[in-house]
Amino acid sequence: MSIARALGNAMSGLTATARGTETVAANLANASTPGYARRDMVVSAQTAGGNAGGVRVDGIARAVNASVLSESRLAEGARAEAATRLAFAKQVEDQIGIAGSAGSLGAALSDFRTALSSAASRPDDGIRLTQVADKAKALADRLNAASTQVQAARGAADQGIARDVATLNKSLAEVAHLNRRIAVLEADGSDPSALMDQRQAIISDISKIVPVQEVTRPAGAVALFTSQGAVLLDGSVPTELSFAAAGQVTAGQSVGSGLALLTQNGAELTKSQMRLFAGGSLSAHFAVRDELASEVQASLDDLAFDLHERLADPAVDGTLSPTSAGLFTDGGLRADPGAKQGLAGRIALNDAVVEASGGKAWRLRSGLEAGSEGPVGESGLLIAMSEALERATPAPPGSGFSGKASLADRLGRVEAQVSTVRVNAQSEAAVRNGQADTIWSRLAADGVDSDAEMQRLLQYEQAYAANARVIQAIQTMMDQILGI
């Protein structure tokens, strides 16, 4: 080996160890940086004419476990979906209340029944009659508030869809832009690792909205598909998603009647096609808006209709006709079983017993449509109304109830339904959180290990010193030759 070749080999060794030291320093500096992928220097033997020619730095490789990263993204999407469903379930349960809790819908019904019993024992007491009217109004107000909250949750979900779609479009455009920049850097022989880290973080954020699968393409680019197979990005132009938010959502609105689904590249998706975007916060928002909240609203409407019908029965109040509204009204009229959607939000106390509206509380004793006040000691109507609430009656046609039950029993079923949804959502969220945390731990284990990096640093230090010693020896040899 010539002295010149020996010098070249040593110089290449110094260059490689310096580059390796730079890589170790970057790893240690970013050990706790979210989304940072550990760097490894890739080297190979350099040959010249079949002889050893030193070492060649082929580049810097990002150490990423692709399979674990893919699992992590799917798990994060499932976590986001479960969290969205749980937030809705808690919101509804807080509004309706747990059975027996103060301020709950059940407590309002109990207070109304107690006021009826108290007034029946002293029908001549105007204050007790007024309390009946007040508690009846409080019950109607609680139903109104619960319905309003459910529709507010639907509206918030509708806005959540709009935000998710806007974030998706922005993020997909950024990934496409980074694909192009990475291709340019690779063509120039530069290290695009920092841009790849940035792209990986953006894709991980996308996976919380819609779980994605990443497919490697030439020139360092990636293609993105949903876990169900819909194309998000494959090439230089990402798919274009759009959504028309409804703003305020009412009980009568549904898909095709005021509420929209996703539009992809100008074509609105069908309900079956929406399954392609399942698994993240986006699908959870659609589930809340179109399924979960609608089920709760239907239960509240059935409950409100049952309450209305029990106290609008001419067998309970002989002054009423078959078309009379009764103690509770739907816009001042009798509720129509064919138009009970949203009734829980409209039900109100009959103005005939509201003093502030020109009504008279004595009608609770004498009859809602009585022409004049009857005997002050008559308690028959108050007792009949109390019994009507407690009587086990068949479920109203077209309702979600079944069998015979009192109004309190049916309210209990609604409360149990809401609590069960919350418990199930909480259990699902706990499972999804555990799975996501476990997979994240596996992903973090493939990250920067400080001890391993320090060992590599010592190896580079030793290699640097050895190559420097070779150069020093060559210098000594050259000095001796020149001194001859």
Side-chain angles (χ1 to χ4, degrees), residues 137-162:
K137 183 178 185 305
L139 176 57
D141 289 344
R142 288 296 303 163
L143 283 167
N144 296 161
S147 177
T148 298
Q149 186 63 48
V150 169
Q151 296 310 312
R154 294 184 74 201
D158 194 68
Q159 294 299 319
I161 295 169

Side-chain angles (χ1 to χ4, degrees), residues 433-481:
N433 287 337
Q435 290 176 339
D437 290 342
T438 299
I439 296 174
W440 175 255
S441 298
R442 290 170 55 196
L443 188 63
D446 293 326
V448 177
D449 184 341
S450 300
D451 293 337
E453 294 298 324
M454 292 305 297
Q455 290 178 357
R456 291 171 59 196
L457 186 60
L458 288 174
Q459 292 173 351
Y460 286 138
E461 180 183 2
Q462 294 170 355
Y464 193 92
N467 282 285
R469 185 75 181 99
V470 170
I471 294 176
Q472 186 178 18
I474 293 174
Q475 182 179 9
T476 302
M477 293 171 63
M478 291 298 297
D479 290 341
Q480 291 177 351
I481 293 173

Side-chain angles (χ1 to χ4, degrees), residues 106-130:
L109 176 58
S110 179
D111 290 344
F112 176 47
R113 293 167 60 193
T114 301
L116 280 173
S117 298
S118 177
S121 66
R122 284 289 306 276
D124 60 312
D125 190 343
I127 294 178
R128 299 195 185 197
L129 293 177
T130 301

Side-chain angles (χ1 to χ4, degrees), residues 132-375:
V132 171
D134 290 343
K135 297 304 181 183
K137 183 178 185 305
L139 176 57
D141 289 344
R142 288 296 303 163
L143 283 167
N144 296 161
S147 177
T148 298
Q149 186 63 48
V150 169
Q151 296 310 312
R154 294 184 74 201
D158 194 68
Q159 294 299 319
I161 295 169
R163 289 193 301 272
D164 282 351
V165 169
T167 301
L168 269 177
N169 286 329
K170 179 176 178 293
S171 299
L172 289 173
E174 290 176 348
V175 172
H177 175 65
L178 288 171
N179 277 346
R180 293 190 291 270
R181 291 185 60 191
I182 289 170
V184 171
L185 289 179
E186 287 202 342
D188 291 342
S190 302
D191 180 17
S193 296
L195 295 183
M196 289 182 175
D197 285 344
Q198 183 180 352
R199 183 178 65 187
Q200 178 176 314
I202 294 173
I203 296 174
S204 294
D205 288 338
I206 290 174
S207 67
K208 297 176 183 178
I209 301 174
V210 178
V212 295
Q213 295 285 358
E214 178 182 327
V215 179
T216 303
R217 294 291 190 241
V222 296
L224 298 179
F225 304 86
T226 70
S227 59
Q228 301 300 318
V231 179
L232 296 177
L233 171 65
D234 192 5
S236 59
V237 180
T239 189
E240 183 180 355
L241 298 172
S242 60
F243 174 75
Q248 185 176 3
V249 180
T250 61
Q253 290 180 298
S254 60
V255 174
S257 179
L259 299 181
L261 294 176
L262 285 181
T263 297
Q264 184 177 18
N265 296 327
E268 186 174 55
L269 302 180
T270 64
K271 289 185 178 181
S272 61
Q273 290 174 327
M274 287 295 298
R275 297 173 186 169
L276 296 173
F277 294 85
S281 63
L282 181 64
S283 64
H285 284 312
F286 273 109
V288 168
R289 190 196 69 173
D290 301 332
E291 299 171 18
L292 302 179
S294 296
E295 290 173 1
V296 176
Q297 182 66 53
S299 296
L300 291 173
D301 292 341
D302 288 340
L303 190 67
F305 186 74
D306 193 12
L307 170 64
H308 171 277
E309 287 295 285
R310 287 172 184 267
L311 301 182
D313 188 353
V316 174
D317 183 352
T319 66
L320 300 178
S321 68
T323 59
S324 298
L327 185 60
F328 294 97
T329 73
D330 182 3
L333 304 173
R334 188 182 181 95
D336 180 0
K340 65 179 179 180
Q341 190 176 47
L343 177 60
R346 303 189 303 268
I347 194 170
L349 181 63
N350 196 323
D351 287 342
V353 299
V354 180
E355 299 280 352
S357 301
K360 300 297 181 182
W362 55 258
R363 288 198 172 91
L364 289 167
R365 179 184 60 223
S366 302
L368 292 178
E369 295 186 357
S372 60
E373 183 177 3

